[in-house]
Amino acid sequence: MKVDRRKFLSFVVGGAAGTALSPLPWKLVDDSSIWSQNWPWTPVPEDGEVSYEPTTCSLCPGGCGIIVRKIKDRVVKIEGIKGHPVNDGGICILGLAGLQLLYGPTRVKTPLKREGARGSGKWRKISWADAISEVAGQLNSLRSSDKADTIGCIGGSDRGVTPNLLKRLTSACGSNNFFRTPSMQDSYETALQLMHGKKAMAGFDFENADFILSFGSGILDGWGSPVRMFKANSNWKTNKTPVIQIEPRLSNTAAKADQWLPVNPGTEADLAFSLINIIIEKGLYDSNFVNNYSLGFADLKQLVKDKYKPAKIAQATGLKSSDIEKLALKFADARRPLAICGSGQGHTPGSLKTFVAVHALNALTGRVNSKGGVWAVEEPDYIKWPEVQKDKPAVKGLAQARIDGAKSKYPLSQYLLNQLPDAVNSESKASLQALLIADANPFYTMPDNKAAQEAFNKIPFIVSFSSYMDETATNADLILPNHIYLERFEDIPTATGFAGPFIGLSRPIVKPQFNTQALGDSLISIVRTMGGTVAASFPWADYKTCLVQTLGSKWPALSKKGYWVDSRFMVPGWTEGFKTASQKFNFSNKDLMMVYNSRPIIPEGSDSFPLLLLPYDSIRLANGYIGDPPFVIKTVADTVLKGKKSFVEINPITAKKYKLKQGSTAILSTPKGQAQVKVHLFEGLMPGLIAMPRGLGHTAYDNYLAGKGINFNELIGTQADPVSGQDAAWGIKAKIARA
Amino acid sequence: MSKELSHNKVRRYGMVIDLDKCTGCGACMVACMAENNVPFKEDESNKRDSITWMKVYKLTNGKPFPNTEICYLPRPCQHCEGHDGHSPCVSVCPATATDYNSETGIVSQIYTRCFGCRYCMAACPYHARYFNWWDPVWPDGMEKYLSPNVSPRMRGVVEKCSFCFHRYQLAKDKAYYEGRSEVREDEYQTACTQACPAGAITFGDLNNPLHAVHQMVKPDLKHAGRPKSPNAFRLLERLGTNPKVYYLSDREWVRRAGDNYMADTKNHLEPKEH
């Protein structure tokens, strides 16, 4: 048979068709997938001896006790410690996912020096010695050219040994420019300073309160020490303690509260003053406290009488005046009522007026420094280091005021990181020449994000001590990676809102996984290399020595038990609890009157923006220094994040007005920027508002988090509180249109 | 093994979830993922292929502002007993890859037997079962945290909540080693129960009158474990799946959302999944 071209092609095509029609290819695909199913690419975890080691979680300032399950030297699970004073066995969603941070792809594995342009992601691995001498060299050259005051440091906290080493390094160099990441702590501290006359933190005796009035605090959304708040809430449910939540959005806290009072946003202080007015008028205040342990009551009384009449406040807040009155009566009638504030997770300081108003409300009913109330808790004072030694450049530098206006333009505030961008951007030559950043991610977390980034980009030398490749590390010139919390010793003094002095201890429960170094050791090495008075200000051989010496008599208990509670601590009380000039509680004085009379914070934007954009916090979206690990982002609902797009919430009534439907794509604009978002219709949001979650829109970290959604901080600006100077912006005007 | 032949007392491990205490924080979901080597992908926002043995649903009462209410509902595998262990999934499995354990009342899933037909997924009225469409991939180094107590699953098999059965085995081994025949209530607790910061989840033996779960819901054994407590309910009670996860809520609309076949359909509300 002659095989011509035609026959050959028919044969090939026929053969192919025949094979395709036969079960053969399907059988082969099936067989090969079954066969390859058992290939060893599914890991078989190695077995071994099991051990449990206790430590303290420091992913947030909550201070939970955690116990870590290990198989040989591998850590396989993190759980809460039963009986721990803060979290008693409970643990939050982020704490549970800590191992994904330890072993995750976001770790910075070795010191890195930038190669390409800032943020381009081109790095060169360098040795620790080179990294340390580079930082020391830069700081020394600034000092020797009389620019010591242009050295700045940003820390996540100013409590505990490591943050204080960073603060000490700043002053030893000759600069006052140490910044702490802002939070509601700033406003609570200022309120306590003004009213109690002492430097203290607010501690809340939630467990003994029998009526909770929350001015927008996300009790179940990550406020304070989250696990403690969850536990307290469950106890309130069991004991039938009423919880009243005041905020315009049905948050998880509002959903679980006994009563949700949606007030117009930004009117919380007005409502508090109005409650004060009613309680005074009806004579329901604690007259023993007011008459014998306080000063300035008459001025406050006059102020609320003149300015906070129920009818006026009803209009401002959107509540009925009868409801406001009922609320005031319920609050005053309760045996141990407690009012709290600090909106959402309390990551922004907010308006000082709200804090003093809420604190005055507590005081009026005798709820300060008493059982079930709010206490001024002094932090454990174990850090008693001698003054830093100063040479000429240091003396000269320390004579300069802080660049952010804290302690000068704003005498009541200690740190004003929110003022830093303006201070840097307003001058042609950067007023900061070097910036060291630890336990903070300001490139992501700072509102008016564009201005903040612009300011950072003007600073010629930025060092990040981050353990993770976060936005700040990505944009730094040098990264000196810290051990993560499971690899290092760290004292964690007083969990947020804890009622009494408390220190938790983080300890290394696993060998350092990478070529990292504890921040304390990096700082001590830097000063050692710098030499002179800077080195002399740090008399410790290494960080561990410094820690043990500083904690002194508390160290044995800490290293044995993992935490230290001041057993002698008692409720501060009214007789000795106030450190004002008169030893009494201040209802008003010159500073307080300035706060009471300060102008309200009106959201930024012209009338061309008819709506209001508000942030909301979710416990499933970490929005501080740490970003969501893979497990946590996995739990985020598909009505918050779908693929790379994030949703904004909007009431169906408002949505209809703008022709938006569930899932519509829309352009959201504010005076600060615009973003493409998807729309989620939510009945639980007050009409006229748009709510957006914090914690999305990361550009750094890993592929599990980066590039998903919009960073709220890019759409909001900052607004300085007229008295404290802290960021008090609670929203921004906005418009939305179908894309 | 039939009940008559068993030397052991019949236990019915079950769970009671107090929906008034549940805050929807999601700690149970992550505790479960961390305990059971549950894999994750870069994008988990397609919830139909996102493996969550424990999944927290968000329900709303559907009323407009400001009368809107929200309730969260955590949903593990319900470990249905059906009639005599004929749970919906067990009945349809052609490979005996899922089985009802008459000693503990736990519905098992044996990955090496499963060949991925997904009949059980179709049969499960609670969407508690998940299929591995892909082989799990842990980023380089992250496989270090995998627990040896639970096998990581391969592509092509179904997986679901096991009530942390490995914890039962460990507790039982410990009890035997210490010369006890009984596992104490606190010795066997699931990872989600242990983690829940609100203390909303209670776990134990429903057959044991001393256990908290029994006292909370008072299961009526004559009527397939139906709860006698007025605020307790089970999901889709009417289907007769006889689940061992009970829910508590003071709010009627929540109870109704959990079982929209309840007798009074006058105020019928559609539960919305969020």
Side-chain angles (χ1 to χ4, degrees):
Chain A
M1 194 176 73
K2 200 184 145 215
V3 181
D4 58 12
R5 186 172 172 275
R6 187 189 174 92
K7 276 200 177 132
F8 175 74
L9 284 176
S10 327
F11 179 75
V12 170
V13 171
T19 314
L21 289 172
S22 80
L24 189 69
W26 317 111
K27 183 64 186 153
L28 281 177
V29 168
D30 189 36
D31 278 358
S32 60
S33 56
I34 290 170
W35 176 54
S36 62
Q37 199 182 10
N38 291 321
W39 280 9
W41 50 41
T42 305
V44 179
E46 200 191 336
D47 212 342
E49 198 189 342
V50 183
S51 61
Y52 290 86
E53 289 181 36
T55 179
T56 302
C57 180
S58 62
L59 294 178
C60 86
C64 289
I66 52 172
I67 189 150
V68 170
R69 191 200 309 160
K70 288 173 73 178
I71 306 284
K72 286 199 238 169
D73 57 352
R74 297 191 299 125
V75 194
V76 300
K77 181 87 189 289
I78 300 178
E79 286 159 3
I81 297 180
K82 266 217 149 111
H84 191 277
V86 174
N87 57 317
D88 187 18
I91 182 165
C92 82
I93 184 165
L94 184 63
L96 279 159
L99 298 184
Q100 296 194 319
L101 296 171
L102 172 68
Y103 294 125
T106 64
R107 291 289 300 272
V108 182
K109 298 182 173 68
T110 180
L112 295 173
K113 188 177 158 67
R114 178 168 64 85
E115 286 270 86
R118 264 197 191 161
S120 65
K122 292 198 185 98
W123 299 96
R124 183 159 53 89
K125 291 178 184 168
I126 56 170
S127 69
W128 271 102
D130 288 351
I132 299 283
S133 68
E134 168 109 23
V135 181
Q138 290 276 358
L139 298 183
N140 263 346
S141 78
L142 286 172
R143 276 166 48 75
S144 56
S145 53
D146 266 355
K147 286 186 198 148
D149 61 309
T150 64
I151 297 168
C153 289
I154 300 177
S157 160
D158 66 346
R159 302 195 173 99
V161 171
T162 313
N164 273 292
L165 285 174
L166 184 63
K167 198 176 170 185
R168 192 171 177 83
L169 179 139
T170 324
S171 6
C173 284
S175 167
N176 289 312
N177 292 312
F178 173 85
F179 301 88
R180 176 178 84 178
T181 304
S183 73
M184 66 170 180
Q185 296 278 13
D186 292 289
S187 296
Y188 260 121
E189 277 171 22
T190 310
L192 291 176
Q193 184 74 51
L194 289 173
M195 300 176 116
H196 292 236
K198 68 180 186 185
K199 189 175 181 289
M201 291 174 288
F204 303 90
D205 190 13
F206 287 116
E207 289 74 9
N208 289 307
D210 67 1
F211 185 97
I212 308 293
L213 181 60
S214 151
F215 289 84
S217 302
I219 298 173
L220 304 178
D221 298 283
W223 185 94
S225 181
V227 175
R228 176 190 178 216
M229 297 315 296
F230 286 120
K231 295 221 166 257
N233 184 69
S234 290
N235 281 335
W236 296 332
K237 292 261 171 248
T238 312
N239 303 334
K240 309 260 180 249
T241 295
V243 179
I244 296 182
Q245 179 72 3
I246 297 163
E247 63 176 321
R249 177 180 173 269
L250 184 67
S251 64
N252 284 2
T253 311
K256 288 287 145 186
D258 296 83
Q259 196 187 357
W260 168 43
L261 286 177
V263 300
N264 292 328
T267 60
E268 293 83 0
D270 296 341
L271 181 61
F273 280 125
S274 174
L275 298 177
I276 292 174
N277 184 24
I278 297 165
I279 291 173
I280 295 178
E281 261 185 12
K282 307 238 177 231
L284 296 171
Y285 55 88
D286 185 327
S287 51
N288 175 29
F289 176 78
V290 168
N291 297 336
N292 302 322
Y293 301 97
S294 81
L295 277 185
F297 175 70
D299 289 340
L300 176 66
K301 182 177 172 180
Q302 195 58 44
L303 177 107
V304 292
K305 195 175 164 203
D306 295 345
K307 290 176 76 176
Y308 297 96
K309 295 201 175 69
K312 189 177 147 197
I313 300 310
Q315 209 200 349
T317 56
L319 298 175
K320 284 190 215 129
S321 52
S322 59
D323 283 346
I324 299 180
E325 188 165 321
K326 258 187 241 160
L327 180 61
L329 297 185
K330 273 198 247 173
F331 189 81
D333 278 352
R335 203 156 68 97
R336 290 201 284 260
L338 175 57
I340 59 169
C341 61
S343 72
Q345 297 183 344
H347 282 175
T348 46
S351 139
L352 183 58
K353 198 166 155 179
T354 311
F355 285 78
V356 290
V358 170
H359 200 60
L361 176 65
N362 281 319
L364 198 64
T365 42
R367 309 311 312 141
V368 295
N369 285 0
S370 60
K371 194 177 175 190
V374 49
W375 306 348
V377 178
E378 280 160 276
E379 67 179 288
D381 61 340
Y382 54 92
I383 298 178
K384 289 172 185 151
W385 298 336
E387 275 278 293
V388 291
Q389 299 190 23
K390 294 169 210 159
D391 54 5
K392 246 197 198 145
V395 172
K396 199 169 167 213
L398 288 170
Q400 306 292 319
R402 290 174 60 92
I403 66 162
D404 59 358
K407 297 177 185 169
S408 52
K409 187 178 171 196
Y410 297 105
L412 298 179
S413 292
Q414 291 193 71
Y415 316 104
L416 292 167
L417 183 59
N418 58 313
Q419 306 269 0
L420 177 74
D422 251 7
V424 172
N425 289 335
S426 61
E427 285 173 43
S428 57
K429 207 153 169 280
S431 40
L432 280 190
Q433 294 290 323
L435 185 61
L436 276 53
I437 304 170
D439 293 327
N441 184 13
F443 268 78
Y444 172 80
T445 57
M446 280 181 68
D448 201 355
N449 207 254
K450 242 183 240 147
Q453 296 211 8
E454 190 192 323
F456 290 131
N457 288 334
K458 268 179 90 175
I459 300 170
F461 182 61
I462 296 181
V463 181
S464 163
F465 293 98
S466 182
S467 309
Y468 319 103
M469 202 40 115
D470 54 30
E471 283 78 0
T472 305
T474 308
N475 287 289
D477 302 304
L478 204 57
I479 313 175
L480 278 67
N482 195 356
H483 292 331
I484 85 158
Y485 69 116
L486 299 168
E487 300 167 328
R488 66 176 192 237
F489 276 108
E490 180 123 45
D491 52 323
I492 299 153
T494 307
T496 317
F498 195 76
F502 169 88
I503 310 170
L505 183 72
S506 283
R507 46 187 152 197
I509 46 98
V510 60
K511 276 200 321 270
Q513 297 295 305
F514 304 107
N515 183 21
T516 55
Q517 182 171 299
L519 172 58
D521 279 320
S522 300
L523 296 175
I524 290 175
S525 308
I526 290 169
V527 297
R528 184 103 339 124
T529 313
M530 288 174 78
T533 51
V534 181
S537 300
F538 290 72
W540 311 280
D542 56 21
Y543 169 57
K544 176 87 188 287
T545 316
C546 171
L547 186 72
V548 175
Q549 275 181 19
T550 306
L551 282 158
S553 61
K554 297 184 178 75
W555 175 258
L558 260 178
S559 54
K560 200 167 149 230
K561 233 165 110 188
Y563 60 87
W564 171 89
V565 183
D566 188 351
S567 52
R568 290 165 308 169
F569 178 78
M570 300 214 294
V571 189
W574 296 344
T575 330
E576 284 162 12
F578 307 117
K579 299 286 175 235
T580 51
S582 58
Q583 302 285 308
K584 289 182 173 177
F585 180 88
N586 268 338
F587 273 113
S588 65
N589 59 19
K590 205 175 111 252
D591 286 333
L592 278 167
M593 286 314 271
M594 211 157 73
V595 182
Y596 291 151
N597 289 315
S598 62
R599 59 176 165 76
I601 308 292
I602 309 288
E604 176 181 4
S606 66
D607 289 343
S608 62
F609 297 97
L611 300 168
L612 265 174
L613 173 68
L614 263 61
Y616 73 87
D617 289 338
S618 159
I619 189 102
R620 297 190 197 176
L621 282 168
N623 61 46
Y625 163 48
I626 309 277
D628 261 8
F631 276 159
V632 184
I633 197 80
K634 184 174 174 177
T635 68
V636 171
D638 58 358
T639 51
V640 175
L641 178 71
K642 181 83 185 166
K644 300 265 178 195
K645 286 270 181 316
S646 60
F647 287 74
V648 292
E649 293 177 349
I650 186 162
N651 188 290
I653 297 171
T654 317
K656 205 172 164 195
K657 214 166 134 189
Y658 294 92
K659 301 194 172 57
L660 299 167
K661 292 195 189 94
Q662 175 66 33
S664 307
T665 304
I667 301 290
L668 171 68
S669 345
T670 72
K672 286 292 166 189
Q674 67 173 18
Q676 202 184 60
V677 292
K678 285 176 92 94
V679 169
H680 173 51
L681 302 185
F682 183 41
E683 300 275 10
L685 182 71
M686 184 180 271
L689 306 182
I690 303 171
M692 190 175 192
R694 281 203 183 102
L696 289 169
H698 277 281
T699 53
Y701 290 100
D702 47 30
N703 291 340
Y704 301 90
L705 184 60
K708 293 183 176 178
I710 305 293
N711 180 4
F712 176 78
N713 296 317
E714 287 168 9
L715 296 176
I716 186 141
T718 60
Q719 280 177 289
D721 181 274
V723 182
S724 73
Q726 298 283 2
D727 181 25
W730 47 264
I732 189 163
K733 289 197 168 180
K735 62 183 174 194
I736 193 162
R738 219 159 55 175
Chain B
M1 186 163 41
S2 74
K3 276 182 205 165
E4 296 75 46
L5 287 175
S6 166
H7 294 290
N8 293 319
K9 223 163 50 179
V10 177
R11 294 177 194 84
R12 288 173 64 252
Y13 280 104
M15 196 175 267
V16 180
I17 306 179
D18 187 337
L19 300 183
D20 297 335
K21 281 186 180 163
C22 170
T23 66
C25 75
C28 52
M29 296 169 78
V30 172
C32 171
M33 294 177 204
E35 179 76 20
N36 293 298
N37 297 339
V38 175
F40 53 89
K41 311 185 292 293
E42 269 184 30
D43 182 7
E44 290 280 1
S45 65
N46 180 1
K47 298 301 177 190
R48 290 201 293 185
D49 67 26
S50 177
I51 300 177
T52 41
W53 294 11
M54 174 61 122
K55 182 179 162 103
V56 178
Y57 285 85
K58 182 177 179 180
L59 315 173
T60 66
N61 67 350
K63 290 193 181 164
F65 180 88
N67 298 315
T68 321
E69 287 182 34
I70 292 174
C71 186
Y72 288 95
L73 187 140
R75 191 256 26 231
C77 168
Q78 307 285 308
H79 294 273
C80 309
E81 188 175 358
H83 300 289
D84 295 326
H86 290 287
S87 16
C89 52
V90 171
S91 317
V92 296
C93 181
T96 329
T98 183
D99 199 10
Y100 188 84
N101 181 320
S102 55
E103 183 195 330
T104 56
I106 290 173
V107 177
S108 62
Q109 180 71 24
I110 302 148
Y111 312 122
T112 43
R113 283 189 194 164
C114 175
F115 53 70
C117 71
R118 291 175 284 137
Y119 286 4
C120 56
M121 290 175 69
C124 174
Y126 303 107
H127 297 226
R129 296 179 155 269
Y130 294 89
F131 186 63
N132 282 276
W133 289 96
W134 300 275
D135 273 310
V137 180
W138 282 273
D140 190 29
M142 230 198 242
E143 67 282 348
K144 276 192 201 157
Y145 74 61
L146 294 178
S147 157
N149 294 338
V150 184
S151 319
R153 283 70 65 187
M154 63 295 275
R155 151 174 58 83
V157 303
V158 169
E159 61 181 79
K160 67 156 195 84
C161 155
S162 65
F163 268 174
C164 290
F165 190 71
H166 59 282
R167 290 191 170 207
Y168 175 69
Q169 289 172 313
L170 290 172
K172 207 169 66 169
D173 287 352
K174 186 164 170 274
Y176 281 154
Y177 181 74
E178 290 171 5
R180 287 178 286 126
S181 61
E182 282 290 311
V183 170
R184 282 200 313 267
E185 187 179 10
D186 64 342
E187 277 180 323
Y188 171 37
Q189 291 291 322
T190 62
C192 52
T193 311
Q194 182 193 27
C196 178
I201 310 179
T202 313
F203 184 78
D205 180 4
L206 291 162
N207 277 357
N208 190 334
L210 298 174
H211 279 204
V213 282
H214 179 97
Q215 292 161 3
M216 287 166 94
V217 294
K218 302 188 183 67
D220 184 351
L221 296 177
K222 286 197 191 101
H223 292 94
R226 202 176 296 163
K228 280 192 248 172
S229 296
N231 286 340
F233 67 95
R234 297 190 285 185
L235 296 182
L236 307 175
E237 177 75 57
R238 181 194 267 203
L239 296 185
T241 49
N242 189 2
K244 283 198 286 296
V245 178
Y246 295 75
Y247 295 90
L248 300 175
S249 179
D250 282 347
R251 291 189 268 187
E252 207 209 329
W253 73 265
V254 172
R255 298 199 295 272
R256 200 173 291 286
D259 186 1
N260 52 7
Y261 291 102
M262 268 167 78
D264 173 13
T265 51
K266 196 173 62 189
N267 301 309
H268 179 82
L269 289 168
E270 279 301 327
K272 277 196 239 169
E273 190 196 315
H274 285 255

